[in-house]
Structures are given as structure tokens and as C-alpha cells.
Amino acid sequence: NQTEQIKKLWLPALEKKYFDVTQKFLNVKLDKTDVFSTYFTYMHLCSYSEKGKYFFISVWTSPIYQINIITHELLHLLFIRYYKKHCLRKGLAKNQFENLKEAMTFIINEDIYKGIVLANDIGYPQHRKFRQLLHKEWVKDNNFKRLLDYGINYSKSHFSQ
């Protein structure tokens, strides 16, 4: 049963480690009310709902890759929760924020997520360069605030409103 396999892999060790690492990366204290539901889908593309606080993982992928999907989609939801308003106040249009949010998943491939994520997070082709640039900024000093400012400025200058 896929549900049981995912629970065995994710709960409790990976889940705790993931939230500890993500909290450090995002430079926030996660709110205990940040509870998200996960659903299986027969689609290959896995979407999420910001308002509904849920996301999908595909039944067609292996449990190891499903863990990657969980980390990726949760990162989107947490980034939205803690930084969407900030980014919009800094002048990002919705489309620019969406591109920043997608590119920020580069972090899943960094050392801080080793032992949680077992396969590379590739992202979308249109964000490849942006993800590489964010990586270069991140490894300078692992400073999220500076990384976010860089990402906001890049999004403003490289993506249409």
C-alpha cells in the first residue's frame, strides 16, 4: 500500500528533520497550525492549493520520488505562507512571485537537505538559470534574507508582470 510506504519513509524522522531544516532555511519559526494534507493523484503533475492547504503526490512515482514531491510542494506552501506578502510589498507582481517561488526549490538539492531528499529536484526548464544563480548566492554565506532580496530583484528584472 503506497500510503503505508510513504508513512514509513516520512513519519516521524524525515518529517521532523524536514521541518527543522526548512525552518532554518526560511529563517522563521514555523507555526504549529501549518498543517497540510496530502492526496494521491493519477496525474503526473502534482499541484497544491494554497487556500486549501493541501497538495498531491502522483501514484505513478516511486516512494523515494514521492518524498521529493512532498518536500518540493511543502516548500512552496511554506514559502507562500511566510513570504508572499513580503514579496508583493517589495513590488513583485504575482507572476514574478510565482517564478521566485518555483526557483527557490533549488535549496532541496543543497547539503542542508541531505538525508531527506534522495533524488535531485530539477524544477522547470525556464527556471534553470535562476536556480543556478540562487545557488551561487546561497553558498556565499547561507543568508536567507540576502538570498530573498537577490531573488526579488532578479524576478523584477527578468520576469514580466
Side-chain angles (χ1 to χ4, degrees), residues 20 29 51 54 89-90 102 115 124:
D20 288 347
K29 176 89 172 106
K51 288 186 175 117
Y54 65 82
R89 278 195 304 266
K90 290 285 190 174
E102 285 298 336
Y124 294 108

Side-chain angles (χ1 to χ4, degrees), residues 26 28 48-51 75-101 104 144 148 152:
L26 292 175
V28 295
Y48 63 87
S49 170
E50 174 185 350
K51 288 186 175 117
L75 187 58
H76 283 330
L77 289 164
L78 292 168
F79 185 73
I80 289 166
R81 162 86 163 85
Y82 290 97
Y83 290 102
K84 183 177 184 178
K85 286 179 185 171
H86 171 79
C87 290
L88 297 179
R89 278 195 304 266
K90 290 285 190 174
L92 283 188
K94 186 175 188 265
N95 179 58
Q96 293 167 331
F97 174 77
E98 291 298 316
N99 282 286
L100 174 59
K101 175 201 64 166
M104 276 295 195
F144 181 78
L148 183 60
I152 289 170

Side-chain angles (χ1 to χ4, degrees), residues 27 40 57 80 157:
N27 197 28
F40 283 103
I57 55 177
I80 289 166
S157 63

Side-chain angles (χ1 to χ4, degrees), residues 90 92 100 130 148-158:
K90 290 285 190 174
L92 283 188
L100 174 59
F130 193 9
L148 183 60
D149 289 341
Y150 176 87
I152 289 170
N153 290 330
Y154 184 90
S155 290
K156 283 181 183 177
S157 63
H158 288 81

Side-chain angles (χ1 to χ4, degrees), residues 12-143:
L14 283 184
E15 179 186 53
K16 181 179 178 350
K17 188 173 180 183
Y18 173 82
F19 284 111
D20 288 347
V21 167
T22 301
Q23 186 167 252
K24 286 177 189 160
F25 169 64
L26 292 175
N27 197 28
V28 295
K29 176 89 172 106
L30 296 179
D31 188 328
K32 297 293 183 199
T33 64
D34 289 330
V35 176
F36 303 98
S37 298
T38 308
Y39 300 101
F40 283 103
T41 180
Y42 286 99
M43 305 288 287
H44 289 281
L45 196 61
C46 298
S47 61
Y48 63 87
S49 170
E50 174 185 350
K51 288 186 175 117
K53 295 176 86 171
Y54 65 82
F55 60 93
F56 294 99
I57 55 177
S58 178
V59 299
W60 304 117
T61 57
S62 70
I64 288 172
Y65 192 68
Q66 288 170 339
I67 295 296
N68 277 47
I69 294 168
I70 291 169
T71 61
H72 182 103
E73 299 306 329
L74 277 175
L75 187 58
H76 283 330
L77 289 164
L78 292 168
F79 185 73
I80 289 166
R81 162 86 163 85
Y82 290 97
Y83 290 102
K84 183 177 184 178
K85 286 179 185 171
H86 171 79
C87 290
L88 297 179
R89 278 195 304 266
K90 290 285 190 174
L92 283 188
K94 186 175 188 265
N95 179 58
Q96 293 167 331
F97 174 77
E98 291 298 316
N99 282 286
L100 174 59
K101 175 201 64 166
E102 285 298 336
M104 276 295 195
T105 58
F106 85 93
I107 196 64
I108 294 169
N109 296 327
E110 300 297 321
D111 286 345
I112 61 172
Y113 282 90
K114 278 212 176 11
I116 300 170
V117 177
L118 303 172
N120 266 351
D121 184 274
I122 298 166
Y124 294 108
Q126 65 266 33
H127 300 120
R128 190 163 292 131
K129 180 181 176 188
F130 193 9
R131 288 167 61 96
Q132 290 168 348
L133 292 170
L134 288 170
H135 162 77
K136 285 181 184 175
E137 287 301 310
W138 174 252
V139 297
K140 286 179 183 177
D141 60 7
N142 295 3
N143 182 308

